[in-house]
């Protein structure tokens, strides 16, 4: 068990009132850490440090190449600590070691990507009438508040921190209180590479207290948030009072459309991966599978056969294919939705229960669950469950598939499986979603933008778009012939 601390102005700190909160291992319910229960005063201290560091120019004032060299050192350290970070991530979040290992490697790659991107040309000049020269430069936004959830404790942090720092901002970062362990290790790395004091600050504490202070404080110029849509809406409202720049990566209820002409085993395999990777606690999870009528029964039979075989267990068991749910509270939410589905009249084709046998009884495990006989208006079809629960729906033709696929408030991701490339692209172009796959599901890249349409968010993470979120754009007009304008009589 460890006693975590916050990182404010280059110092490791307890909460000013010494309060702490317990952090649990979701695989067995054991206490793994005490985390500071930060207060508004702590949040203000972090914001103050970030503001001073920003204004001093210690980070925004150095060259992009110098900042890039810090990011490269961070990436190297992440690689060097890969084994430890992987173990911590599995303990913190519950995900299998294999998944955690991917996240750690991706985190290092993300820092490397932004270390390269920030040194590339990024301005513009315009041919305007003589004697003027117009140009545009990109500048950091200032102090950025970064608030992340628990499903990818390390990777979600890095998706925000790497571009924010690359662009020259200073940050006030808040991990989810459910999973603060790996983020704390990341900040130890920042200290080891010698990031200047106050550039990267981490506060812990309740979202409604510390997170809300970050979203409302006038000295925070931008909020970048990943989490639930309800919280995202609250943050946007709060941030409006000080007109902060807002970037939101929120929930989803993403469709995975399987046409009868798809490669059958590939489609089943990716559909399983789409929903059960991360125990379904993935914003882009393919939680609604839409199958063409003529293939439906065969698809459901094979999907259920394979879902039943998924080996659920603790993340640190190398044979585990699906880990636990992140917390007791979230487990209750998922079980609530399973009961709700039954009450709504849907049929459980497999799963549907908490797993309490075989030494898993103290952890938060749920069976891979499939609902059939569902209707579009049901809440289990419309709402984000964020667990290993999928609904399998039927469609007649392309038009109906698109209508069902787009028929929720969300628009984060979507997949299409067909051997007809033209049809696949036609359907993808009609999907109101920001991330799509043809004959695949889930892979994403540091180079490509990540984010949603509709109520799945605003703005994009990753790629050039992800960097631009953390930049202001300044127009500069230079007079090459310095003489009075002569507009008014002399
Ligand atoms: P939240 O959206 O509540 O939490 C995400 C982060 O926001 C956490 O760091 C949280 O802090 C913080 N936060 C909470 N309230 C506020 C606030 N008022 N102001 C500022 N920050 C705040 O997610 P939950 O963990 O409660 O999960 C709820 C649902 O959200 C899930 O069931 C799932 O449907 C969805 N979700 C979606 C994710 C995605 O990637 N799209 C990720 C996680 C959840 P703290 O942890 O201290 O509460």
């Amino acid at each position: 068990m460890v006693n975590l601390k916050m990182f404010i102005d280059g110092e490791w700190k307890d909460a000013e009132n010494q309060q702490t909160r317990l952090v649990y291992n979701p695989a067995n319910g054991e206490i793994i850490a005490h985390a500071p229960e930060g207060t508004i005063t702590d949040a203000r201290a972090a914001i103050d440090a970030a503001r001073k560091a920003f204004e001093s120019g210690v980070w925004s004032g150095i060259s992009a190449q110098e900042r890039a060299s810090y990011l490269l050192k961070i990436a190297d350290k992440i690689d060097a600590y890969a084994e430890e970070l992987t173990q911590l991530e599995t303990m913190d979040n519950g995900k299998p070691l294999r998944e955690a290992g991917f996240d750690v490697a991706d985190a290092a790659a993300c820092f490397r990507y932004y270390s390269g991107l920030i040194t590339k040309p990024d301005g513009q000049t315009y041919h305007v009438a003589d004697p003027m020269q117009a140009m545009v430069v990109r500048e950091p936004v200032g102090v950025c508040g970064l608030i992340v959830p628990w499903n990818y404790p390390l990777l979600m942090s890095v998706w925000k921190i790497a571009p924010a720092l690359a662009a020259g901002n200073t940050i006030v970062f808040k991990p989810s209180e459910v999973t603060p362990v790996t983020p704390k290790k990341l900040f130890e790395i920042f200290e080891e590479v010698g990031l200047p004091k106050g550039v990267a600050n981490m506060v812990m504490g309740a979202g409604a207290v510390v997170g809300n202070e970050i979203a409302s404080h006038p000295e925070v110029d931008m909020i970048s948030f990943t989490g639930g849509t309800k919280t995202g809406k609250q943050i946007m409202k709060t941030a409006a009072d000080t007109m902060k720049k807002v970037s939101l990566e929120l929930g989803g209820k993403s469709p995975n459309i399987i046409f009868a002409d798809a490669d059958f085993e590939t489609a089943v395999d990716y559909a399983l991966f789409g929903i059960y990777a991360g125990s379904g606690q993935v914003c882009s999870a393919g939680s609604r599978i839409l199958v063409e009528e003529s293939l439906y029964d065969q698809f459901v039979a094979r999907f259920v056969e394979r879902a039943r075989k998924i080996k659920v267990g603790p993340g640190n068991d190398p044979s585990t294919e699906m880990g636990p749910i992140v917390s007791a509270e979230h487990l209750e939410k998922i079980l609530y939705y399973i009961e709700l589905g039954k009450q709504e009249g849907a049929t459980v084709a497999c799963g549907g229960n908490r797993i309490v046998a075989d030494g898993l009884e103290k952890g938060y495990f749920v069976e891979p669950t499939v609902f059939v006989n569902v209707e579009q208006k049901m809440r289990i079809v419309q709402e984000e469950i964020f667990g290993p629960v999928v609904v399998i729906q039927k469609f007649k033709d392309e038009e109906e598939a698109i209508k069902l696929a787009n028929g929720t408030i969300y628009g984060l991701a979507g997949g299409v499986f067909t051997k007809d490339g033209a049809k696949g692209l036609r359907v993808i172009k009609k999907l109101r979603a920001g991330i799509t796959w043809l004959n695949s599901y889930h892979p994403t890249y540091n180079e490509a933008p990540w984010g949603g349409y509709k109520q799945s968010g605003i703005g994009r993470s990753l790629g050039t778009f992800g960097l631009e979120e953390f930049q202001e754009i300044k127009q500069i007009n230079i007079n090459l012939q310095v003489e009075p304008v002569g507009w008014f009589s002399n």
Side-chain angles (χ1 to χ4, degrees), residues 457-468:
I458 295 175
R460 294 293 180 270
S461 299
L462 298 180
T464 54
F465 302 91
L467 182 65
E468 285 166 13

Side-chain angles (χ1 to χ4, degrees), residues 148 150 174 176-177 205 207 211 225 228 231 250 283 330 333 384 386:
V148 301
W150 40 256
K174 192 193 99 58
S176 163
E177 288 319 283
F225 168 79
T231 315
L250 309 176
C283 53
H330 193 52
K333 181 183 161 185
E384 185 178 47
F386 224 62

Side-chain angles (χ1 to χ4, degrees), residues 21 37 146-152 156 174-179 204-215 223 225-232 234-235 238 249-252 281-284 326-327 329-330 333-334 337 383-387 410 412 450 456:
R21 160 193 305 231
E37 187 66 39
L146 314 178
I147 302 176
V148 301
W150 40 256
N151 55 341
Y152 289 84
M156 285 303 105
K174 192 193 99 58
S176 163
E177 288 319 283
V178 181
T179 54
M204 298 175 185
V209 178
V210 171
N212 186 63
E213 182 62 18
I214 297 170
I223 288 286
F225 168 79
T226 298
T229 294
K230 198 166 155 228
T231 315
Q234 179 58 49
I235 286 178
T238 307
E249 206 268 273
L250 309 176
Q281 304 167 113
V282 179
C283 53
S284 54
V326 75
S327 65
E329 189 189 356
H330 193 52
K333 181 183 161 185
I334 293 167
Y337 269 105
E383 296 177 18
E384 185 178 47
I385 300 173
F386 224 62
Y410 295 110
L412 188 58
W450 180 271
S456 287

Side-chain angles (χ1 to χ4, degrees), residues 110-289:
C110 188
F111 272 107
R112 289 203 177 91
Y113 172 76
Y114 281 109
S115 74
L117 188 63
I118 197 61
T119 60
K120 303 299 175 287
D122 68 355
Q124 292 179 357
T125 58
Y126 306 108
H127 296 279
V128 294
D130 278 347
M132 298 300 291
Q133 173 65 57
M135 66 173 85
V136 155
V137 295
R138 292 179 184 279
E139 295 183 344
V141 179
V143 175
C144 297
L146 314 178
I147 302 176
V148 301
W150 40 256
N151 55 341
Y152 289 84
L154 178 67
L155 199 56
M156 285 303 105
S157 311
V158 169
W159 280 17
K160 295 187 188 308
I161 294 172
L165 291 183
N169 300 285
T170 58
I171 62 167
V172 178
F173 166 85
K174 192 193 99 58
S176 163
E177 288 319 283
V178 181
T179 54
V181 176
T182 344
K184 192 248 180 183
K185 178 72 195 171
L186 184 65
F187 274 72
E188 283 175 10
I189 289 175
F190 295 164
E191 187 184 32
E192 276 183 42
V193 304
L195 270 191
K197 265 172 57 160
V199 169
N201 305 276
M202 174 175 59
V203 283
M204 298 175 185
V209 178
V210 171
N212 186 63
E213 182 62 18
I214 297 170
S216 58
H217 199 289
E219 290 297 337
V220 176
D221 301 292
M222 171 180 179
I223 288 286
S224 177
F225 168 79
T226 298
T229 294
K230 198 166 155 228
T231 315
K233 287 179 185 178
Q234 179 58 49
I235 286 178
M236 196 168 167
K237 282 183 194 152
T238 307
D241 279 343
T242 46
M243 204 52 78
K244 290 181 186 21
K245 199 171 178 189
V246 173
S247 178
L248 304 170
E249 206 268 273
L250 309 176
K253 191 78 181 179
S254 298
N256 200 353
I257 304 171
I258 320 286
F259 283 97
D261 64 359
D263 184 292
F264 182 69
E265 288 298 334
T266 302
V268 172
D269 199 53
Y270 270 107
L272 287 158
F273 184 51
I275 181 62
Y276 298 127
S279 307
Q281 304 167 113
V282 179
C283 53
S284 54
S287 50
R288 291 185 295 140
I289 303 176

